[in-house]
């Protein structure tokens, strides 16, 4: 039954077998070459890809550097805080999970939903932060119900801790989650979504020193991103330790002296420009930001009429009032239009043209020289001499003393104040300068605006003999190994080129303000520490009725109280400026705060106390 | 009357090659699925059952003289066509495709049977013709019709992979039977045109697969994911491989379908280029051995039968390997003896039975 057997042995068929075998061989050689290409030639590339597949880098947050005062007292530290996060790829029913979590944490569901939605920016394997700084009890509740919450993770993160509560919060600023715009900006190249960065104050100003280097944990994961084992851990490097120029005790004493009044105070070392204290009240609680401020809390802070977010020490601009008489006096002496002996008979007002310019003392001061004019803050003496001197010389002196420009402290948002002159008025209002305006300017009213920081700088310049120093907050920065990363040296902005005898004449007047009867700050004198200063009252409402008592005026319309001083008078070390918003009188509201500051500052250094400490 | 020569001429080396490859495949399945937490019987145990059953089936098939099939070829063909038609009418649908007939105890996949039946039917046709000069269009319309009907029905299921295998088997057998040069040229032109026209007959997901193959990065998390992960697995194996059960791509589940279509990727990752080469060698040896069986067959029917089975194995191997190393689109063709699955194992062992059958009867005339 053989079929076509003769065919099978034919040469044609033999040829086809050979062709078929060779074709099969050729195809296999092709497969072989492809394997050679993948497994030998490109092995490295694919090995790298397979490593990338199986490993995840989980960042470990680096603690930010601590901030201490000049003596090493802790001002800003870190504490561990629990954070609840969720792995997106493991959460199957987000709504259900968020609802349950909101119940367990007693949190607003909307907040959780918002944060969950924000997590879409993250890579899928990166946990989405849902709740920060949850209490241990809340954390335990969540852990107990973890079976209902697949994909929920907890981590411990360092967060900012403030041992002195609200104290100096404006200086430190606060942290917040990095924004999209910041992520695109050059200084934040190494940051990731969800990172915390300094938003203002020092936290922002010296961010690059405070932020450490995050560590990372290399873990092996499966395709679902489930952690299988830790391959390697790179510990984070904490941020640098920052030593401020601030004196903690002085800072706290100043804040205490303010009580619940609004305002600002600055204390400077007159020889270096170091900021010894910088107070702005009211303040906010920086720990709100550390744990993640809620929308409601933020809105409350924003809309608080007392504006607690504003650092008044460098952003508040106030007419300096009679403190400005220092400038007018120096300008007058330098121009030769007046001397210390120049006498003016104050009858309670001076008439220029058809307008009468009143002295604060209705009955007048009688015959007044420079010292008396400063001591009792006679307005008429300054009205009189300012007419001779002219606004431009006064403005020039003000600028030489550091007014009308930012001091260069280095914190964002510092305001420059305003020192008007003829040119300025022409440009601003297209109008000429009137003589009467010189009079008003001479006693620090009118257009003139200064910040408390500028006033302190001016006073320090007067105290140190005419050197304008740039105030600074950061004394030095060192890494965790103790290596110095940055050391700030005193920096001279300019020499004011003041004549020594003229300066002495001015200083005698300033000493009399505090230390002689009838001096406007006589009530705030310190017996064992003669110091020098100048009170000021800046009018909030110009048309105020004279007879009205302070208590009868609404708070918002009361005058600001100012005082600037340096101590000790004979051998100055520290200069202060105090502004009490709506405090009415420099003598009664601002000077006592300066007195409290000196009390605190010099008590620390008094020989009796340190001697007693040594004996113990 | 039992011929004792059947025992003495039994093709032990072929059976050994087949069993050896299947055992390597089972070891590979053990590794590929070791991370699975299963309460059911592990995959590699099941595959062992299928292999045992398959060997038994091959033995049974090999001992029934293949020449009886020459009278039954068209009947089998007709019955299988009916089954394919039945699939489209009352078939069981799973994952968007209707490929199975629910027989209660067993899900029958008629398209798999068709792979073997088309070999028998075409062998019947070509063995009866005496065309030393080669076939012309007049001769070829019958085999093409024989091929076209089942391919169309399988395509409708849809099962592009199996339809292609059936077509490839048929074309390979036709080429081997001999086609006149002029006819071949016209056919080549028609095939090229048909490929273009066929594009419009493809389902969207099939088009997607082809586009993705051409550029896997189009859709790295979707349909391109398979190709990318498979290439990573194969490539990262390097020269010596990562070691048995140490392939991260497979053990950590980055590789999808790693116990079925992508079983070779697991092997290539863990055994590297050395292992891949060995396995490729084994497969090539099986194919060449099949062609040798065809060549030494006692009759033309046996020749075509053995050649058809070799072609079937060849295309399965080449398409699957081509697919997992990124040379061909992902079409869901299993690797014989390596991919997990009863159907594939049974089809392969049926083919093996036919090869053994032809091989042991080469001296019976």
């Amino acid at each position: 039954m053989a079929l076509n057997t003769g065919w099978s042995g034919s040469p044609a068929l033999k040829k086809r077998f050979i062709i078929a075998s060779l074709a099969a061989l050729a195809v296999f050689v092709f497969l072989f070459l492809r394997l050679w290409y993948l497994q030998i030639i490109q092995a490295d590339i694919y090995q790298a890809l397979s490593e990338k597949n199986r490993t995840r880098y989980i960042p470990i947050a680096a603690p930010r550097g601590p901030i201490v005062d000049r003596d090493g007292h802790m001002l800003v530290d870190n504490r561990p805080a629990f954070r609840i996060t969720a792995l997106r790829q493991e959460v199957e029913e987000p709504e259900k999970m968020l609802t349950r979590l909101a119940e367990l944490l007693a949190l607003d569901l909307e907040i959780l939903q918002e944060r969950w939605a924000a997590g879409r920016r993250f890579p899928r394997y990166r946990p989405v932060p849902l709740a920060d700084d949850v209490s241990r009890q809340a954390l335990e509740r969540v852990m107990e119900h973890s079976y209902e919450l697949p994909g929920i993770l907890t981590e411990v993160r360092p967060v900012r801790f403030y041992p002195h509560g609200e104290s100096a919060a404006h200086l430190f600023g606060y942290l917040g989650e990095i924004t999209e715009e910041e992520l695109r900006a050059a200084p934040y190249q190494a940051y990731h979504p969800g990172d915390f960065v300094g938003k203002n104050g020092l936290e922002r100003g010296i961010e690059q020193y405070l932020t450490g280097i995050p560590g990372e944990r290399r873990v092996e994961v499966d395709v679902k991103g489930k952690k299988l084992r830790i391959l390697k851990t790179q510990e984070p490097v904490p941020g640098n330790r920052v030593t401020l120029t601030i004196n903690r005790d002085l800072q706290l004493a100043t804040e205490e002296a303010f009580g619940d009044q609004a305002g600002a105070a600055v204390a400077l070392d007159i020889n270096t420009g170091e900021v010894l204290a910088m107070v702005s009240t009211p303040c906010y609680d920086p720990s709100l930001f550390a744990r993640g401020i809620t929308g409601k809390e933020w809105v409350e802070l924003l809309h608080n009429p007392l504006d607690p977010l504003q650092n008044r020490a460098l952003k508040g601009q106030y007419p300096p009032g009679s403190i400005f008489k220092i400038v007018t006096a120096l300008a007058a002496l330098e121009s030769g239009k007046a001397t210390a002996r120049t006498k003016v008979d104050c009858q309670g007002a001076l008439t220029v043209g058809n307008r009468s310019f009143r002295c604060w003392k209705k009955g007048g001061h009688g015959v007044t020289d420079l010292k008396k004019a400063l001591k009792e803050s006679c307005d008429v003496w300054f009205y009189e001499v300012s007419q001779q001197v002219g606004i431009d010389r006064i403005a020039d002196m003000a600028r030489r003393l550091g007014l009308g420009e930012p001091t260069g402290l280095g914190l964002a948002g510092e305001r420059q104040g305003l020192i008007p002159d003829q040119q300025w008025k022409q440009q601003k209002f297209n109008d000429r300068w009137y003589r009467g305006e010189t009079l008003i300017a001479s006693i620090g009213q009118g257009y003139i605006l200064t910040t408390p920081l500028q006033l302190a700088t001016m006073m320090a310049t007067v105290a140190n003999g005419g050197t304008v120093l740039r105030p600074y907050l950061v004394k030095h920065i060192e890494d965790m190994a103790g290596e110095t990363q940055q050391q700030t040296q005193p920096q001279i902005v300019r020499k004011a080129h003041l004549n020594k005898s003229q300066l002495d004449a001015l200083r005698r007047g300033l000493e009399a303000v505090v230390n002689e009867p009838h001096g406007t700050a006589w009530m705030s004198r310190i017996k064992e520490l003669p110091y020098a200063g100048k009170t000021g009252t800046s009018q909030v409402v110009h048309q105020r009725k004279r007879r009205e008592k302070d208590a009868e005026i609404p708070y918002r319309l009361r005058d600001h109280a100012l005082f600037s001083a340096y101590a000790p008078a004979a051998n100055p070390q520290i200069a202060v400026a105090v502004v009490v918003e709506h405090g009415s009188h420099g003598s009664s509201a601002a000077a006592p705060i300066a007195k409290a500051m000196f009390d605190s500052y010099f008590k620390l250094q008094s020989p009796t106390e340190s001697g007693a400490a040594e004996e113990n | 009357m039992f011929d004792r020569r059947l025992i003495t001429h039994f093709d032990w080396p072929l059976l050994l090659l087949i069993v050896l490859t299947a055992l390597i495949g089972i070891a590979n399945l053990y590794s590929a699925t070791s991370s699975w937490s299963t309460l059911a019987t592990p995959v590699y145990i099941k595959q062992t059952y299928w292999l045992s059953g398959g060997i038994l089936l091959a033995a049974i098939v090999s001992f029934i003289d293949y020449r009886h099939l020459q009278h039954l070829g068209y009947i089998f063909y007709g019955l299988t066509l009916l089954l394919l038609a039945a699939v489209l009418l009352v078939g069981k649908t799973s994952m968007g495709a209707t490929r199975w007939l629910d027989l209660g105890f067993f899900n029958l996949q008629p398209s798999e049977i068709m792979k073997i039946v088309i070999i028998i039917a075409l062998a019947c046709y070509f063995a009866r013709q005496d065309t030393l000069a080669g076939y012309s269009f007049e001769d070829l319309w019958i085999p093409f019709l024989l091929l076209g009907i089942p391919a169309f029905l399988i395509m409708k299921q849809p099962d592009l992979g199996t339809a292609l295998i059936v077509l490839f088997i048929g074309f390979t057998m036709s080429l081997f039977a001999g086609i006149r040069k002029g006819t071949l040229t016209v056919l080549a032109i028609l095939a090229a045109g048909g490929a273009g026209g066929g594009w419009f007959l493809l389902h969207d997901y099939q088009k997607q697969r082809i586009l993705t193959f051409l550029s896997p990065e189009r859709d790295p998390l979707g349909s391109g994911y398979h190709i990318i992960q498979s290439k990573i697995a194969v490539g990262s194996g390097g020269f010596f491989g990562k070691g048995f059960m140490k392939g991260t791509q497979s053990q950590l589940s980055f590789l999808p379908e790693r116990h079925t279509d992508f079983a070779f990727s697991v092997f290539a990752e863990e055994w590297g280029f050395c292992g891949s080469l060995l396995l490729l060698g084994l497969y090539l040896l099986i194919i060449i051995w099949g062609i040798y069986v065809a060549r030494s067959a006692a009759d033309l029917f046996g020749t075509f039968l053995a050649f058809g089975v070799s072609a079937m194995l060849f295309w399965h191997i080449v398409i699957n390997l081509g697919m997992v190393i990124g040379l061909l689109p992902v079409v869901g063709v299993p690797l014989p003896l390596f991919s997990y699955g009863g159907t594939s194992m049974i089809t392969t062992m049926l083919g093996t039975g036919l090869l053994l059958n032809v091989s042991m009867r080469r001296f019976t005339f």
Side-chain angles (χ1 to χ4, degrees), chain A residues 79-206:
Chain A
R79 66 177 169 79
F82 298 111
R83 176 188 248 193
I84 291 182
T85 61
L87 258 187
R88 274 199 294 148
Q89 54 194 6
E90 285 183 21
V91 178
E92 281 167 10
E93 296 169 277
E95 266 318 299
K96 201 175 142 193
M97 179 275 286
L98 293 173
T99 311
R100 190 75 183 107
L101 200 60
E103 281 168 22
L104 292 169
L105 293 173
L107 273 179
D108 213 349
L109 176 60
E110 273 177 32
I111 293 172
L112 292 181
Q113 285 167 332
E114 245 169 55
R115 304 203 73 182
W116 175 257
R120 294 216 186 90
R121 295 179 289 144
F122 295 26
R124 276 170 59 78
Y125 54 80
R126 206 182 152 101
V128 180
L130 291 177
D132 279 311
D133 203 11
V134 300
S135 69
R136 186 171 281 278
Q137 291 89 331
L139 185 79
E140 277 166 10
R141 277 199 302 278
V142 171
M143 297 312 280
E144 277 166 22
H145 293 83
S146 56
Y147 62 92
E148 297 171 56
L149 300 161
I152 285 291
L153 306 172
T154 56
E155 58 181 85
V156 182
R157 273 180 347 116
V159 303
R160 279 309 209 193
F161 170 61
Y162 304 90
H164 301 294
E166 293 192 358
S167 176
H170 288 113
L171 280 191
F172 310 138
Y174 49 82
L175 304 177
E177 224 176 290
I178 193 162
T179 62
E180 301 268 358
E181 299 92 274
E182 281 168 332
L183 274 172
R184 283 193 289 270
Y188 299 106
Q189 284 309 299
Y191 291 70
H192 300 285
D195 284 351
F196 272 65
V197 293
K199 290 294 182 182
N200 56 22
L202 283 169
E203 296 275 21
R204 184 188 177 105
I206 50 170

Side-chain angles (χ1 to χ4, degrees), chain A residues 3-4 7 16-17 20-21 25 27-28 32 34 36 38-40 43 46-47 50 53-54 221-223 228, chain B residues 70 127 130 132 176-177 225 229 231 234-236 238-239 242 249 252-254 268 273 276-277 295 300 325:
Chain A
L3 295 155
N4 300 319
W7 209 72
R16 283 179 207 163
F17 278 119
S21 304
L25 186 67
V27 170
F28 271 75
F32 159 84
R34 173 70 177 177
W36 172 272
L38 289 179
Q39 297 192 294
I40 309 291
Y46 286 114
Q47 271 155 10
S50 107
N53 258 344
R54 76 165 182 135
V221 295
D222 66 9
V223 69
L228 301 175
Chain B
Q70 204 166 4
D130 188 357
L132 264 176
F176 181 73
Y225 181 81
Q229 293 302 332
K231 276 161 77 177
V234 174
S236 67
F239 191 79
K242 295 177 184 169
Q249 282 289 104
L252 304 175
S253 310
F254 290 100
F273 184 69
S276 307
L277 202 58
R295 191 186 163 172
L300 207 50
I325 60 181

Side-chain angles (χ1 to χ4, degrees), chain A residues 17 29 31 57 64 78 112 114 120 125 151 179 181 191 208 216 229 286 297 389 403 493 521 542:
Chain A
F17 278 119
V29 166
L31 291 175
Y57 293 92
R64 280 176 87 81
N78 300 294
L112 292 181
E114 245 169 55
R120 294 216 186 90
Y125 54 80
T179 62
E181 299 92 274
Y191 291 70
Q208 78 271 30
E216 62 183 14
R229 64 196 168 107
E297 289 164 336
V389 178
L403 302 180
V493 178
H542 290 266

Side-chain angles (χ1 to χ4, degrees), chain A residues 164-412:
Chain A
H164 301 294
E166 293 192 358
S167 176
H170 288 113
L171 280 191
F172 310 138
Y174 49 82
L175 304 177
E177 224 176 290
I178 193 162
T179 62
E180 301 268 358
E181 299 92 274
E182 281 168 332
L183 274 172
R184 283 193 289 270
Y188 299 106
Q189 284 309 299
Y191 291 70
H192 300 285
D195 284 351
F196 272 65
V197 293
K199 290 294 182 182
N200 56 22
L202 283 169
E203 296 275 21
R204 184 188 177 105
I206 50 170
E207 166 77 23
Q208 78 271 30
Y209 290 107
L210 288 171
T211 188
I213 303 166
E216 62 183 14
R217 191 162 287 141
R218 200 153 68 94
V219 295
E220 185 176 80
V221 295
D222 66 9
V223 69
K224 288 180 176 166
K226 197 170 126 195
K227 239 189 275 182
L228 301 175
R229 64 196 168 107
I230 295 167
L231 299 171
K232 199 182 159 199
T233 302
Q234 171 88 44
E235 294 298 340
V237 179
N240 296 306
R241 178 185 166 98
V242 173
T243 302
L244 298 186
T245 55
I246 294 293
N247 175 324
R248 179 195 65 176
D249 296 331
L250 176 59
Q251 178 80 20
L252 289 171
T254 311
E255 285 162 348
E256 198 190 327
F258 261 94
D260 53 9
Q261 302 177 99
V266 177
L268 299 175
D269 183 314
I270 64 152
N271 294 310
T272 59
E274 289 176 0
V275 179
L276 300 170
M278 184 181 268
V279 169
S280 174
T281 70
C283 207
Y284 57 86
D285 181 1
S287 54
L288 291 183
F289 293 92
R291 63 148 167 74
I293 192 164
T294 65
K296 199 177 149 215
E297 289 164 336
W298 176 243
V299 167
E300 269 173 26
L301 275 176
L302 271 184
H303 292 112
N304 186 326
L306 291 175
D307 199 5
L309 288 170
Q310 161 116 304
N311 183 351
R312 292 166 158 82
L314 54 133
K315 293 182 187 174
Q317 301 188 108
Y318 308 88
S322 297
I323 296 177
F324 195 74
K325 287 170 182 170
I326 292 171
V327 176
T328 308
L330 283 173
L333 293 172
E334 194 182 72
S335 67
K337 302 290 180 189
T339 68
R341 288 180 299 279
T342 301
K343 290 187 174 64
V344 171
D345 186 13
C346 169
Q347 293 301 320
L350 182 71
T351 305
V352 173
N354 55 4
R355 195 179 153 192
S356 174
F357 292 84
R358 286 185 288 216
C359 185
W360 68 267
K361 191 173 178 185
K362 200 186 172 193
H365 291 92
V367 177
T368 304
D369 62 2
L370 171 65
K371 184 177 164 189
K372 188 179 175 191
L374 287 167
K375 184 178 99 178
E376 299 182 21
S377 206
C378 171
D379 293 335
V380 170
W381 193 91
F382 289 94
Y383 291 156
E384 188 68 54
V385 302
S386 69
Q387 291 187 86
Q388 319 292 320
V389 178
I391 186 63
D392 287 352
R393 280 208 198 92
I394 294 173
D396 175 59
M397 178 56 71
R399 292 195 193 101
R400 274 156 67 189
L401 292 171
L403 302 180
E405 63 177 16
T407 63
L409 177 74
L411 289 186

